[in-house]
Amino acid sequence: MSTVVRRTLGLIGVRKPFYELSLRLRVGLSQLPLVLTVALVTVLVACFFPETFRHPSFLIGLGQLAVLTLLAFAVPWDNLPRGSYWVIPLADFIAIGALRHSGQDAITGLGLLMLFPVFWLAWSGIAPIGARIISFVLPLAIVWLPAFTSSGPVALPDLASTLIVPVLMLAFGVTISVASESETARQLEFEAKDRELQQVLRETRDRQRLLETMMDTVSVGLVAVDRGGHDILMNRHQRNNHLLAAPSGNQDPNESQLLVFQPDGTTPIPLEERPVLRAIRGETFSDELLWIGAGKQQRAMAVTARPMIDDDGEFDGSVIAFADVTELVRALAAKDDFVASVSHELRTPLTSIIGYLDLALEEVEETDGTGRLAGSLRVAQRNAERLFQLVSDLLSSASGPMSIAPKRTPLAEVIRSSVDSAAPKAAAAGVVLRDDCPEALQAFIDPDRIGQVVDNLLSNAIKYSPGGGEVEVRAWAAGGKAVLEVRDYGLGISEEDQREVFTKFFRTAAVRRTAIPGVGLGLVISKSIVEAHGGTIECRSTLGAGTTFTVTLPLDKAQDGERRQAPAGVR
């Protein structure tokens, strides 16, 4: 019957599930299967057994069904007590009895029409026990009533022969009642789950709105990609960045078409080295500088990526953040320009001062018998030369990308030259210099620039060993690289300060307290030189126990004499 009801709903244009309809419409639709079946019976009777219409009970049954159908659709059952609509199927039994009494001889099986009200009562689930009793008693009354109303005696075999119909109705009613209870329980479970899902959906939407609001609030471009590289989340700032990086006339470029440049702002970053593709490969990195866009609209970005890990510990995507640092980069560039300009202006008069001091010393040494004036001039000369060196360091740190001319060079010669130059200063400080480098070890380096690195490291090692001691310089080959190490046993550097040692003008608090001279540029320049060679420089230190600087350099290169530049922004 439920199939008939669903098909009937489709025929009359009702698309909602049956249980979501109003009670009045459900009652009316539940009456329709019986009415349609009786209408078919009426057509058959009119065509083949018209004499049946002469029986008043047949007409009464038809009229009763018509009235009941009108009441089913017209009565506002929602406003009446629960179960009041049972009056319709109960009255249907009476109409079916009248039809059976007058039409049984013409069309057999009219008693089976009782299946419709039995189904209705059992499926309603209001009073399962009462529905089962009615499913047996009323059909029994309908099939036995003719025997008791006839003029002849009631024969027991006649009653027994018709007993199968009420028993069948009872079995049908029990089956439908059990199915109804199971369906009701399942429906209640579905409704509970539906409510839970709706609640989860509302909470998910609320969290999504909150997340989107938070992402659009921060002044950083954020994009999340899945393990396949597809964007799953992008905030407003990143959409603006994407448009900024798009070529002119292309509003929806792919990654290979985006204008993404290295820190110099002009060299395109190869596709496989771009931050998003690196993040898709699972890489982690922080504050890597690049430029996006072109012309006056070009912006500098500090890019950070962190992978997402699923419950199984597998890579599940990545989140990439693009922080606009254009103003900071430009401010640093302006500062470097200022430092370079001031340093250049100071260098010219200092050169003149040092030159004239040299001339004055030559004349004074010839005429000054006591030597007091010559001594004073030498003090002035040393300080002028020290000031000249500081100005040179300032100018070097702000002069832009550093050019180098590497060639195959014996590393031992570079180290020995630096050690010889630092020997007088070491002797004055009570420091013993020791070097250990194989004579055959050659590296692909610019000897003058690497000599400058070793000079800086030795100078620091001697300065920060105020109590004397040893400074060791070693070099060896390992893993296809040349490794150079400078180690002292002096003041040492705290773990916190080690993170800043390669920052311009940084000097530790301990150094400032001891008034050791310096401006904090030697390590910055050294790092720039090493990176221009494609190498690395690292610092390991223990406070009060000394410091070790380790430099790695290329052992070989495909073409000797190739010139390289340090990345832009490295000074």
Side-chain angles (χ1 to χ4, degrees), residues 442-459:
Q442 295 193 6
F444 191 77
I445 59 175
D446 183 326
D448 294 333
R449 290 295 192 181
I450 295 302
Q452 186 179 352
V453 172
V454 180
D455 288 344
N456 284 336
L457 295 180
L458 282 174
S459 176

mmCIF file with all atom_site columns, all heavy atoms in Angstrom, residues 442-459:
data_model
loop_
_atom_site.group_PDB
_atom_site.id
_atom_site.type_symbol
_atom_site.label_atom_id
_atom_site.label_alt_id
_atom_site.label_comp_id
_atom_site.label_asym_id
_atom_site.label_entity_id
_atom_site.label_seq_id
_atom_site.pdbx_PDB_ins_code
_atom_site.Cartn_x
_atom_site.Cartn_y
_atom_site.Cartn_z
_atom_site.occupancy
_atom_site.B_iso_or_equiv
_atom_site.pdbx_formal_charge
_atom_site.auth_seq_id
_atom_site.auth_comp_id
_atom_site.auth_asym_id
_atom_site.auth_atom_id
_atom_site.pdbx_PDB_model_num
ATOM 1   N N   . GLN A 1 442 ? 92.402 21.580 -2.073  1.00 0.00 ? 442 GLN A N   1
ATOM 2   C CA  . GLN A 1 442 ? 92.072 22.735 -2.903  1.00 0.00 ? 442 GLN A CA  1
ATOM 3   C C   . GLN A 1 442 ? 90.551 22.908 -2.953  1.00 0.00 ? 442 GLN A C   1
ATOM 4   O O   . GLN A 1 442 ? 89.797 21.934 -2.946  1.00 0.00 ? 442 GLN A O   1
ATOM 5   C CB  . GLN A 1 442 ? 92.613 22.565 -4.338  1.00 0.00 ? 442 GLN A CB  1
ATOM 6   C CG  . GLN A 1 442 ? 94.133 22.523 -4.392  1.00 0.00 ? 442 GLN A CG  1
ATOM 7   C CD  . GLN A 1 442 ? 94.655 22.681 -5.815  1.00 0.00 ? 442 GLN A CD  1
ATOM 8   O OE1 . GLN A 1 442 ? 93.904 22.930 -6.743  1.00 0.00 ? 442 GLN A OE1 1
ATOM 9   N NE2 . GLN A 1 442 ? 95.967 22.551 -5.983  1.00 0.00 ? 442 GLN A NE2 1
ATOM 10  N N   . ALA A 1 443 ? 90.131 24.161 -3.008  1.00 0.00 ? 443 ALA A N   1
ATOM 11  C CA  . ALA A 1 443 ? 88.698 24.476 -3.062  1.00 0.00 ? 443 ALA A CA  1
ATOM 12  C C   . ALA A 1 443 ? 88.441 25.458 -4.193  1.00 0.00 ? 443 ALA A C   1
ATOM 13  O O   . ALA A 1 443 ? 89.346 26.184 -4.625  1.00 0.00 ? 443 ALA A O   1
ATOM 14  C CB  . ALA A 1 443 ? 88.233 25.069 -1.738  1.00 0.00 ? 443 ALA A CB  1
ATOM 15  N N   . PHE A 1 444 ? 87.220 25.481 -4.660  1.00 0.00 ? 444 PHE A N   1
ATOM 16  C CA  . PHE A 1 444 ? 86.832 26.394 -5.727  1.00 0.00 ? 444 PHE A CA  1
ATOM 17  C C   . PHE A 1 444 ? 86.337 27.688 -5.088  1.00 0.00 ? 444 PHE A C   1
ATOM 18  O O   . PHE A 1 444 ? 85.153 27.843 -4.786  1.00 0.00 ? 444 PHE A O   1
ATOM 19  C CB  . PHE A 1 444 ? 85.730 25.747 -6.574  1.00 0.00 ? 444 PHE A CB  1
ATOM 20  C CG  . PHE A 1 444 ? 85.455 26.493 -7.848  1.00 0.00 ? 444 PHE A CG  1
ATOM 21  C CD1 . PHE A 1 444 ? 86.318 26.393 -8.937  1.00 0.00 ? 444 PHE A CD1 1
ATOM 22  C CD2 . PHE A 1 444 ? 84.339 27.308 -7.970  1.00 0.00 ? 444 PHE A CD2 1
ATOM 23  C CE1 . PHE A 1 444 ? 86.062 27.079 -10.112 1.00 0.00 ? 444 PHE A CE1 1
ATOM 24  C CE2 . PHE A 1 444 ? 84.082 27.994 -9.138  1.00 0.00 ? 444 PHE A CE2 1
ATOM 25  C CZ  . PHE A 1 444 ? 84.944 27.878 -10.213 1.00 0.00 ? 444 PHE A CZ  1
ATOM 26  N N   . ILE A 1 445 ? 87.261 28.634 -4.839  1.00 0.00 ? 445 ILE A N   1
ATOM 27  C CA  . ILE A 1 445 ? 86.956 29.824 -4.059  1.00 0.00 ? 445 ILE A CA  1
ATOM 28  C C   . ILE A 1 445 ? 87.639 31.047 -4.650  1.00 0.00 ? 445 ILE A C   1
ATOM 29  O O   . ILE A 1 445 ? 88.540 30.943 -5.490  1.00 0.00 ? 445 ILE A O   1
ATOM 30  C CB  . ILE A 1 445 ? 87.422 29.662 -2.593  1.00 0.00 ? 445 ILE A CB  1
ATOM 31  C CG1 . ILE A 1 445 ? 88.939 29.401 -2.546  1.00 0.00 ? 445 ILE A CG1 1
ATOM 32  C CG2 . ILE A 1 445 ? 86.642 28.570 -1.879  1.00 0.00 ? 445 ILE A CG2 1
ATOM 33  C CD1 . ILE A 1 445 ? 89.517 29.353 -1.145  1.00 0.00 ? 445 ILE A CD1 1
ATOM 34  N N   . ASP A 1 446 ? 87.178 32.208 -4.182  1.00 0.00 ? 446 ASP A N   1
ATOM 35  C CA  . ASP A 1 446 ? 87.882 33.470 -4.435  1.00 0.00 ? 446 ASP A CA  1
ATOM 36  C C   . ASP A 1 446 ? 88.849 33.639 -3.271  1.00 0.00 ? 446 ASP A C   1
ATOM 37  O O   . ASP A 1 446 ? 88.420 33.890 -2.127  1.00 0.00 ? 446 ASP A O   1
ATOM 38  C CB  . ASP A 1 446 ? 86.875 34.615 -4.485  1.00 0.00 ? 446 ASP A CB  1
ATOM 39  C CG  . ASP A 1 446 ? 87.532 35.955 -4.815  1.00 0.00 ? 446 ASP A CG  1
ATOM 40  O OD1 . ASP A 1 446 ? 88.684 36.165 -4.398  1.00 0.00 ? 446 ASP A OD1 1
ATOM 41  O OD2 . ASP A 1 446 ? 86.873 36.793 -5.462  1.00 0.00 ? 446 ASP A OD2 1
ATOM 42  N N   . PRO A 1 447 ? 90.155 33.489 -3.474  1.00 0.00 ? 447 PRO A N   1
ATOM 43  C CA  . PRO A 1 447 ? 91.104 33.483 -2.343  1.00 0.00 ? 447 PRO A CA  1
ATOM 44  C C   . PRO A 1 447 ? 91.080 34.779 -1.545  1.00 0.00 ? 447 PRO A C   1
ATOM 45  O O   . PRO A 1 447 ? 91.226 34.737 -0.311  1.00 0.00 ? 447 PRO A O   1
ATOM 46  C CB  . PRO A 1 447 ? 92.458 33.240 -3.012  1.00 0.00 ? 447 PRO A CB  1
ATOM 47  C CG  . PRO A 1 447 ? 92.265 33.615 -4.454  1.00 0.00 ? 447 PRO A CG  1
ATOM 48  C CD  . PRO A 1 447 ? 90.844 33.307 -4.775  1.00 0.00 ? 447 PRO A CD  1
ATOM 49  N N   . ASP A 1 448 ? 90.931 35.912 -2.200  1.00 0.00 ? 448 ASP A N   1
ATOM 50  C CA  . ASP A 1 448 ? 90.915 37.177 -1.465  1.00 0.00 ? 448 ASP A CA  1
ATOM 51  C C   . ASP A 1 448 ? 89.691 37.266 -0.552  1.00 0.00 ? 448 ASP A C   1
ATOM 52  O O   . ASP A 1 448 ? 89.800 37.695 0.608   1.00 0.00 ? 448 ASP A O   1
ATOM 53  C CB  . ASP A 1 448 ? 90.932 38.347 -2.445  1.00 0.00 ? 448 ASP A CB  1
ATOM 54  C CG  . ASP A 1 448 ? 92.244 38.433 -3.231  1.00 0.00 ? 448 ASP A CG  1
ATOM 55  O OD1 . ASP A 1 448 ? 93.267 37.955 -2.690  1.00 0.00 ? 448 ASP A OD1 1
ATOM 56  O OD2 . ASP A 1 448 ? 92.229 38.946 -4.357  1.00 0.00 ? 448 ASP A OD2 1
ATOM 57  N N   . ARG A 1 449 ? 88.522 36.860 -1.098  1.00 0.00 ? 449 ARG A N   1
ATOM 58  C CA  . ARG A 1 449 ? 87.296 36.949 -0.298  1.00 0.00 ? 449 ARG A CA  1
ATOM 59  C C   . ARG A 1 449 ? 87.309 35.945 0.858   1.00 0.00 ? 449 ARG A C   1
ATOM 60  O O   . ARG A 1 449 ? 86.938 36.286 1.984   1.00 0.00 ? 449 ARG A O   1
ATOM 61  C CB  . ARG A 1 449 ? 86.077 36.698 -1.181  1.00 0.00 ? 449 ARG A CB  1
ATOM 62  C CG  . ARG A 1 449 ? 85.795 37.812 -2.187  1.00 0.00 ? 449 ARG A CG  1
ATOM 63  C CD  . ARG A 1 449 ? 85.435 39.092 -1.466  1.00 0.00 ? 449 ARG A CD  1
ATOM 64  N NE  . ARG A 1 449 ? 84.890 40.090 -2.384  1.00 0.00 ? 449 ARG A NE  1
ATOM 65  C CZ  . ARG A 1 449 ? 84.502 41.307 -2.020  1.00 0.00 ? 449 ARG A CZ  1
ATOM 66  N NH1 . ARG A 1 449 ? 84.635 41.670 -0.754  1.00 0.00 ? 449 ARG A NH1 1
ATOM 67  N NH2 . ARG A 1 449 ? 84.008 42.153 -2.902  1.00 0.00 ? 449 ARG A NH2 1
ATOM 68  N N   . ILE A 1 450 ? 87.732 34.717 0.598   1.00 0.00 ? 450 ILE A N   1
ATOM 69  C CA  . ILE A 1 450 ? 87.785 33.734 1.682   1.00 0.00 ? 450 ILE A CA  1
ATOM 70  C C   . ILE A 1 450 ? 88.861 34.115 2.689   1.00 0.00 ? 450 ILE A C   1
ATOM 71  O O   . ILE A 1 450 ? 88.703 33.897 3.905   1.00 0.00 ? 450 ILE A O   1
ATOM 72  C CB  . ILE A 1 450 ? 88.034 32.316 1.114   1.00 0.00 ? 450 ILE A CB  1
ATOM 73  C CG1 . ILE A 1 450 ? 86.832 31.901 0.258   1.00 0.00 ? 450 ILE A CG1 1
ATOM 74  C CG2 . ILE A 1 450 ? 88.236 31.304 2.240   1.00 0.00 ? 450 ILE A CG2 1
ATOM 75  C CD1 . ILE A 1 450 ? 85.497 31.892 1.006   1.00 0.00 ? 450 ILE A CD1 1
ATOM 76  N N   . GLY A 1 451 ? 89.927 34.733 2.215   1.00 0.00 ? 451 GLY A N   1
ATOM 77  C CA  . GLY A 1 451 ? 90.929 35.253 3.150   1.00 0.00 ? 451 GLY A CA  1
ATOM 78  C C   . GLY A 1 451 ? 90.317 36.301 4.055   1.00 0.00 ? 451 GLY A C   1
ATOM 79  O O   . GLY A 1 451 ? 90.632 36.369 5.263   1.00 0.00 ? 451 GLY A O   1
ATOM 80  N N   . GLN A 1 452 ? 89.412 37.111 3.524   1.00 0.00 ? 452 GLN A N   1
ATOM 81  C CA  . GLN A 1 452 ? 88.720 38.114 4.341   1.00 0.00 ? 452 GLN A CA  1
ATOM 82  C C   . GLN A 1 452 ? 87.861 37.434 5.403   1.00 0.00 ? 452 GLN A C   1
ATOM 83  O O   . GLN A 1 452 ? 87.792 37.891 6.554   1.00 0.00 ? 452 GLN A O   1
ATOM 84  C CB  . GLN A 1 452 ? 87.854 38.997 3.438   1.00 0.00 ? 452 GLN A CB  1
ATOM 85  C CG  . GLN A 1 452 ? 87.201 40.179 4.154   1.00 0.00 ? 452 GLN A CG  1
ATOM 86  C CD  . GLN A 1 452 ? 86.376 41.029 3.181   1.00 0.00 ? 452 GLN A CD  1
ATOM 87  O OE1 . GLN A 1 452 ? 86.421 40.817 1.962   1.00 0.00 ? 452 GLN A OE1 1
ATOM 88  N NE2 . GLN A 1 452 ? 85.643 41.972 3.725   1.00 0.00 ? 452 GLN A NE2 1
ATOM 89  N N   . VAL A 1 453 ? 87.217 36.315 5.037   1.00 0.00 ? 453 VAL A N   1
ATOM 90  C CA  . VAL A 1 453 ? 86.395 35.565 6.002   1.00 0.00 ? 453 VAL A CA  1
ATOM 91  C C   . VAL A 1 453 ? 87.268 35.029 7.124   1.00 0.00 ? 453 VAL A C   1
ATOM 92  O O   . VAL A 1 453 ? 86.946 35.183 8.320   1.00 0.00 ? 453 VAL A O   1
ATOM 93  C CB  . VAL A 1 453 ? 85.649 34.415 5.300   1.00 0.00 ? 453 VAL A CB  1
ATOM 94  C CG1 . VAL A 1 453 ? 84.960 33.519 6.330   1.00 0.00 ? 453 VAL A CG1 1
ATOM 95  C CG2 . VAL A 1 453 ? 84.636 34.965 4.312   1.00 0.00 ? 453 VAL A CG2 1
ATOM 96  N N   . VAL A 1 454 ? 88.401 34.392 6.759   1.00 0.00 ? 454 VAL A N   1
ATOM 97  C CA  . VAL A 1 454 ? 89.285 33.835 7.790   1.00 0.00 ? 454 VAL A CA  1
ATOM 98  C C   . VAL A 1 454 ? 89.845 34.950 8.669   1.00 0.00 ? 454 VAL A C   1
ATOM 99  O O   . VAL A 1 454 ? 89.963 34.800 9.892   1.00 0.00 ? 454 VAL A O   1
ATOM 100 C CB  . VAL A 1 454 ? 90.418 33.016 7.140   1.00 0.00 ? 454 VAL A CB  1
ATOM 101 C CG1 . VAL A 1 454 ? 91.346 32.439 8.217   1.00 0.00 ? 454 VAL A CG1 1
ATOM 102 C CG2 . VAL A 1 454 ? 89.839 31.885 6.290   1.00 0.00 ? 454 VAL A CG2 1
ATOM 103 N N   . ASP A 1 455 ? 90.196 36.090 8.070   1.00 0.00 ? 455 ASP A N   1
ATOM 104 C CA  . ASP A 1 455 ? 90.686 37.236 8.850   1.00 0.00 ? 455 ASP A CA  1
ATOM 105 C C   . ASP A 1 455 ? 89.648 37.660 9.883   1.00 0.00 ? 455 ASP A C   1
ATOM 106 O O   . ASP A 1 455 ? 89.981 37.916 11.057  1.00 0.00 ? 455 ASP A O   1
ATOM 107 C CB  . ASP A 1 455 ? 91.000 38.411 7.922   1.00 0.00 ? 455 ASP A CB  1
ATOM 108 C CG  . ASP A 1 455 ? 92.245 38.175 7.080   1.00 0.00 ? 455 ASP A CG  1
ATOM 109 O OD1 . ASP A 1 455 ? 93.022 37.261 7.429   1.00 0.00 ? 455 ASP A OD1 1
ATOM 110 O OD2 . ASP A 1 455 ? 92.425 38.903 6.079   1.00 0.00 ? 455 ASP A OD2 1
ATOM 111 N N   . ASN A 1 456 ? 88.369 37.776 9.456   1.00 0.00 ? 456 ASN A N   1
ATOM 112 C CA  . ASN A 1 456 ? 87.307 38.195 10.376  1.00 0.00 ? 456 ASN A CA  1
ATOM 113 C C   . ASN A 1 456 ? 87.132 37.194 11.513  1.00 0.00 ? 456 ASN A C   1
ATOM 114 O O   . ASN A 1 456 ? 86.992 37.580 12.689  1.00 0.00 ? 456 ASN A O   1
ATOM 115 C CB  . ASN A 1 456 ? 85.983 38.356 9.618   1.00 0.00 ? 456 ASN A CB  1
ATOM 116 C CG  . ASN A 1 456 ? 85.932 39.618 8.794   1.00 0.00 ? 456 ASN A CG  1
ATOM 117 O OD1 . ASN A 1 456 ? 86.634 40.587 9.090   1.00 0.00 ? 456 ASN A OD1 1
ATOM 118 N ND2 . ASN A 1 456 ? 85.117 39.628 7.747   1.00 0.00 ? 456 ASN A ND2 1
ATOM 119 N N   . LEU A 1 457 ? 87.127 35.901 11.169  1.00 0.00 ? 457 LEU A N   1
ATOM 120 C CA  . LEU A 1 457 ? 86.918 34.878 12.196  1.00 0.00 ? 457 LEU A CA  1
ATOM 121 C C   . LEU A 1 457 ? 88.093 34.847 13.176  1.00 0.00 ? 457 LEU A C   1
ATOM 122 O O   . LEU A 1 457 ? 87.885 34.708 14.400  1.00 0.00 ? 457 LEU A O   1
ATOM 123 C CB  . LEU A 1 457 ? 86.724 33.511 11.541  1.00 0.00 ? 457 LEU A CB  1
ATOM 124 C CG  . LEU A 1 457 ? 85.459 33.365 10.669  1.00 0.00 ? 457 LEU A CG  1
ATOM 125 C CD1 . LEU A 1 457 ? 85.386 31.962 10.068  1.00 0.00 ? 457 LEU A CD1 1
ATOM 126 C CD2 . LEU A 1 457 ? 84.200 33.649 11.486  1.00 0.00 ? 457 LEU A CD2 1
ATOM 127 N N   . LEU A 1 458 ? 89.326 34.960 12.663  1.00 0.00 ? 458 LEU A N   1
ATOM 128 C CA  . LEU A 1 458 ? 90.492 34.979 13.551  1.00 0.00 ? 458 LEU A CA  1
ATOM 129 C C   . LEU A 1 458 ? 90.493 36.231 14.423  1.00 0.00 ? 458 LEU A C   1
ATOM 130 O O   . LEU A 1 458 ? 90.806 36.164 15.629  1.00 0.00 ? 458 LEU A O   1
ATOM 131 C CB  . LEU A 1 458 ? 91.776 34.920 12.721  1.00 0.00 ? 458 LEU A CB  1
ATOM 132 C CG  . LEU A 1 458 ? 92.173 33.552 12.174  1.00 0.00 ? 458 LEU A CG  1
ATOM 133 C CD1 . LEU A 1 458 ? 93.381 33.674 11.259  1.00 0.00 ? 458 LEU A CD1 1
ATOM 134 C CD2 . LEU A 1 458 ? 92.460 32.585 13.316  1.00 0.00 ? 458 LEU A CD2 1
ATOM 135 N N   . SER A 1 459 ? 90.121 37.358 13.832  1.00 0.00 ? 459 SER A N   1
ATOM 136 C CA  . SER A 1 459 ? 90.080 38.601 14.599  1.00 0.00 ? 459 SER A CA  1
ATOM 137 C C   . SER A 1 459 ? 89.091 38.494 15.757  1.00 0.00 ? 459 SER A C   1
ATOM 138 O O   . SER A 1 459 ? 89.392 38.882 16.898  1.00 0.00 ? 459 SER A O   1
ATOM 139 C CB  . SER A 1 459 ? 89.714 39.768 13.687  1.00 0.00 ? 459 SER A CB  1
ATOM 140 O OG  . SER A 1 459 ? 89.569 40.969 14.429  1.00 0.00 ? 459 SER A OG  1
#
